[in-house]
Amino acid sequence: MRTAAITLITLFCLKAFSQQDEKILPKSLNYKQIESAEPREIVLPAFSAKEWASLDYNDEKNGHMPKYARCIDTDISPRNSGTWTVIPGLGRIWRVKITSKNALALVPLFDSLYLPEGATLHVYMPDREETFGAFTHGNTPEPRAFCSGIIHGETCILEYFEPIQETGNGIIHINKVGHAY
């Protein structure tokens, strides 16, 4: 069962990579006041290397494949976290910073994602050395589970742009974040 779950997550990630539009840049790059402002941060529960080493040992003992990451349950959405910034006459931008101390990489896992027409989603490192997106309505024509990909480092930022005519129509919910160790 766990092997199937890892395979599905990997397939979601591969599918997400193939559908992003790298020509569309994060909207915050056009607005210095947004780009320079720190979004609200969510710090995930501390990684217990001892606890997860024990889980790895049990997995190995039971013949399961080795893991590179463990999922941390979350409840992250524009309704309960992050920072909204209104761009008059254009729309609004939601950003949230997710940190999991000592992670080698993070994997945001969406249990529901829907981007309306004109909306974009990017996931990037704070220094933007690594950026995934834009994910658009073409990637998410109906609400579904989604994986944006593996972002290296212990912190990532999610940025969602919603055009004014679609205010409130997007669905973004992250129910797990993979912590690569």
Side-chain angles (χ1 to χ4, degrees):
M1 179 71 175
R2 288 183 185 189
T3 302
I6 290 172
T7 301
L8 285 174
I9 289 170
T10 303
L11 291 175
F12 278 131
C13 288
L14 291 174
K15 187 172 182 157
F17 286 126
S18 67
Q19 295 181 348
Q20 61 183 323
D21 186 341
E22 295 176 358
K23 295 178 295 250
I24 302 172
L25 298 175
K27 287 275 190 221
S28 64
L29 290 175
N30 298 327
Y31 301 93
K32 288 293 181 200
Q33 76 275 16
I34 299 172
E35 184 184 14
S36 62
E38 281 289 315
R40 288 195 192 116
E41 182 175 26
I42 294 174
V43 179
L44 299 178
F47 174 86
S48 170
K50 183 177 179 179
E51 177 186 356
W52 289 2
S54 174
L55 290 170
D56 287 345
Y57 174 78
N58 287 335
D59 284 349
E60 183 179 337
K61 190 169 100 179
N62 293 318
H64 298 290
M65 292 178 55
K67 308 233 179 355
Y68 71 91
R70 297 282 177 169
C71 286
I72 300 169
D73 290 333
T74 61
D75 178 20
I76 301 170
S77 76
R79 288 178 168 56
N80 65 16
S81 55
T83 305
W84 280 104
T85 305
V86 173
I87 304 169
L90 189 62
R92 60 187 186 160
I93 295 174
W94 174 73
R95 295 191 318 149
V96 65
K97 184 177 190 178
I98 302 171
T99 299
S100 188
K101 296 290 182 193
N102 301 316
L104 299 176
L106 298 177
V107 184
L109 301 170
F110 300 77
D111 61 332
S112 190
L113 179 69
Y114 169 73
L115 304 175
E117 289 286 343
T120 58
L121 175 70
H122 289 84
V123 181
Y124 50 83
M125 296 169 74
D127 63 4
R128 297 183 200 245
E129 183 178 325
E130 198 171 58
T131 300
F132 296 129
F135 303 104
T136 65
H137 177 74
N139 311 105
T140 62
E142 57 189 52
R144 64 182 172 112
F146 189 80
C147 174
S148 59
I150 300 167
I151 297 288
H152 291 91
E154 65 181 30
T155 300
C156 71
I157 296 174
L158 278 73
E159 179 176 318
Y160 167 64
F161 167 73
E162 184 175 72
I164 197 165
Q165 68 274 17
E166 293 291 348
T167 299
N169 292 334
I171 299 170
I172 299 173
H173 187 261
I174 300 166
N175 68 327
K176 296 184 184 303
V177 173
H179 174 120
Y181 58 99

